[in-house]
Amino acid sequence: MAGKSQPTGARGTVGHPYSALNLRLVLASFGLVVSVGLGVLVVLTGHWVPAVILFVLAAVAVVDLVIIMRRRAQRRREEPPGTSHSLFE
């Protein structure tokens, strides 16, 4: 992404975003916590295959969190100071 908070060719704009970044942030955080928590519990029971799957899902959530935080930071730089967004923007 070369200086844009929205992906190239996306339907959204800064005023009307392509995706609800705040909602994605909440959902990715929830997915990370649940995946790690369940992964640890599954490891303690001795079932390694489901644990590995849960830890891979946790890694995907971490990557998604990094992407979301980068887009939110870029959006903050593009907008006037004091602009706030609800959970669904």
Side-chain angles (χ1 to χ4, degrees):
M1 290 187 312
K4 300 281 185 192
S5 62
Q6 297 294 322
T8 304
R11 297 180 304 268
T13 64
V14 172
H16 299 287
Y18 176 70
S19 67
L21 293 178
N22 295 338
L23 181 60
R24 279 183 59 193
L25 179 67
V26 170
L27 293 174
S29 300
F30 177 76
L32 176 64
V33 170
V34 169
S35 296
V36 169
L38 287 176
V40 168
L41 290 174
V42 171
V43 165
L44 293 176
T45 63
H47 297 89
W48 290 97
V49 174
V52 169
I53 293 170
L54 286 165
F55 290 135
V56 167
L57 287 175
V60 170
V62 168
V63 170
D64 195 28
L65 283 169
V66 169
I67 292 169
I68 293 166
M69 294 306 290
R70 290 185 63 210
R71 287 190 183 165
R72 287 181 76 214
Q74 184 64 35
R75 180 177 69 183
R76 239 179 275 124
R77 285 190 292 270
E78 291 175 2
E79 293 179 334
T83 304
S84 64
H85 293 277
S86 73
L87 182 62
F88 302 103
E89 293 183 286

